[in-house]
Amino acid sequence: MISMQGYADAVRPVLDRLLDSEADGIARAADLIAASLRDGGVLHAFGAGHSEAFAAELVARAGGLVPTNRLTVRDVVVHGDAPREVLDDPKLERDPTIAHQIYELAAPQPRDVFVVASQSGINGSVVELATLVKKRGHELIAVTSVEHTARVAPRHPSGRRLADIADVVLDNGAPYGDALLPLEGGGAVCAVSSVTAALLAQLLTAEVVRRFHLAGEAPPVYLSANVPGGDEHNHALESRYAGRIRRTA
C-alpha cells in the first residue's frame, strides 16, 4: 500500500544496505577529502537536478566542513556572463559545454577535490565535468545509482558514465527510476536518492572529521549561525579560504 508507513518500510532496508555496502567506499572517499583539506584544499560538490540536494548537504551548513564549495548549472549565469535565458532550458544539464564554464568559474587549485552526484550518471554536464576534473589532475568521488546507471545509455559523446571516470564510486542505493513504491497501473512514486544522498554526505563528513582528529588537528567545522557566537566563529574560518568558497543567498 502507498502510504507514509509503506514508504518508511521501503526506505529502511535501503539505508541498511547502504551502510553495509558503502563502508569501504566511504572510507576511501574520506581519505581523499581529508588529504585535500589538510593540505589547504577545498571540496567542490556538484549535482544537477535533484542531485543538487547532495551538494547542498555538504556545503555551508551547521556541523559541516567549511572549505566546501557548491557548484550548479546556474553558476554560468549567477557567477558568469551567460544570459538569464539559458536557464529556461529544463534539459540544460545535458549540455556538455557548460561543464567547462562551471569548472573555470570555480577556479579550483590543483590540491582541491571534487564530488559529483547524479542519480543516472549519464548527462552531458555531469560526465563532461567529471572528465575535465580528472584531466586537470583532481581526485574525483562519484555518487550515483549503480543500478540505474547500468540500465541507461550514456548521453555524453564519449559514451562514458560518471561511474567510469571517478576514483571512488559511492552507490546511493536507489533503484532504476529512483522511486520505491510501485503503482498498480505501472510506474512508481516516492523517490529515495535524496534521502540516501543526505546520509552519504553526513557519513562522509563524519569520516573526514575523524581523520582530522586522528591526525591531532582541529577540523574546520561550522557552528550554526543561529547560536551565539556562530557568525564570528564561521567568518573566522571562512576567511582562510577567501576568494575560494562562495557564500551567496
Side-chain angles (χ1 to χ4, degrees), residues 34-96:
S36 172
L37 302 194
R38 291 182 60 217
D39 189 39
V42 165
L43 170 62
H44 300 274
F46 175 73
H50 285 94
S51 292
E52 275 193 45
F54 174 82
E57 192 70 18
L58 274 179
V59 177
R61 66 163 304 154
L65 298 162
V66 173
T68 53
N69 197 35
R70 181 155 63 105
L71 312 181
T72 75
V73 295
R74 294 185 300 280
D75 290 352
V76 300
V77 172
V78 177
H79 302 290
D81 57 7
R84 166 66 180 79
E85 290 72 25
V86 303
L87 300 182
D88 293 335
D89 180 1
K91 297 180 180 179
L92 185 61
E93 68 176 295
R94 297 184 183 182
D95 181 2

Side-chain angles (χ1 to χ4, degrees), residues 16-243:
D16 288 342
R17 285 194 300 271
L18 183 150
L19 290 168
D20 289 338
S21 67
E22 300 310 299
D24 289 345
I26 291 166
R28 288 185 287 119
D31 285 342
L32 296 180
I33 296 170
S36 172
L37 302 194
R38 291 182 60 217
D39 189 39
V42 165
L43 170 62
H44 300 274
F46 175 73
H50 285 94
S51 292
E52 275 193 45
F54 174 82
E57 192 70 18
L58 274 179
V59 177
R61 66 163 304 154
L65 298 162
V66 173
T68 53
N69 197 35
R70 181 155 63 105
L71 312 181
T72 75
V73 295
R74 294 185 300 280
D75 290 352
V76 300
V77 172
V78 177
H79 302 290
D81 57 7
R84 166 66 180 79
E85 290 72 25
V86 303
L87 300 182
D88 293 335
D89 180 1
K91 297 180 180 179
L92 185 61
E93 68 176 295
R94 297 184 183 182
D95 181 2
T97 65
I98 66 167
H100 293 262
Q101 301 172 64
I102 293 169
Y103 180 90
E104 296 303 328
L105 288 167
Q109 297 184 0
R111 57 188 168 174
D112 292 353
V113 62
F114 283 73
V115 181
V116 176
S118 172
Q119 163 72 8
S120 67
I122 61 169
N123 284 313
S125 67
V126 169
V127 177
E128 185 71 11
L129 181 61
T131 302
L132 183 59
V133 163
K134 290 309 302 173
K135 283 183 177 178
R136 298 294 177 87
H138 304 282
E139 303 288 1
L140 173 64
I141 299 149
V143 177
T144 191
S145 165
V146 170
E147 177 183 342
H148 189 126
T149 199
R151 292 178 59 179
V152 288
R155 293 193 173 113
H156 191 269
S158 68
R160 302 176 80 194
R161 299 171 173 84
L162 172 62
D164 299 327
I165 304 165
D167 298 290
V168 178
V169 177
L170 300 179
D171 184 3
N172 68 18
Y176 175 72
D178 203 350
L180 286 182
L181 304 181
L183 295 167
E184 289 185 6
V189 296
C190 299
V192 70
S193 63
S194 295
V195 176
T196 55
L199 176 60
L200 283 169
Q202 296 305 328
L203 294 173
L204 278 174
T205 299
E207 285 298 309
V208 170
V209 168
R210 187 168 77 90
R211 281 151 177 77
F212 271 86
H213 286 162
L214 289 172
E217 300 175 9
V221 174
Y222 278 109
L223 292 178
S224 170
N226 299 307
V227 301
D231 283 340
E232 294 78 7
H233 169 91
N234 296 339
H235 293 161
L237 288 175
E238 287 175 341
S239 67
R240 302 178 187 175
Y241 308 94

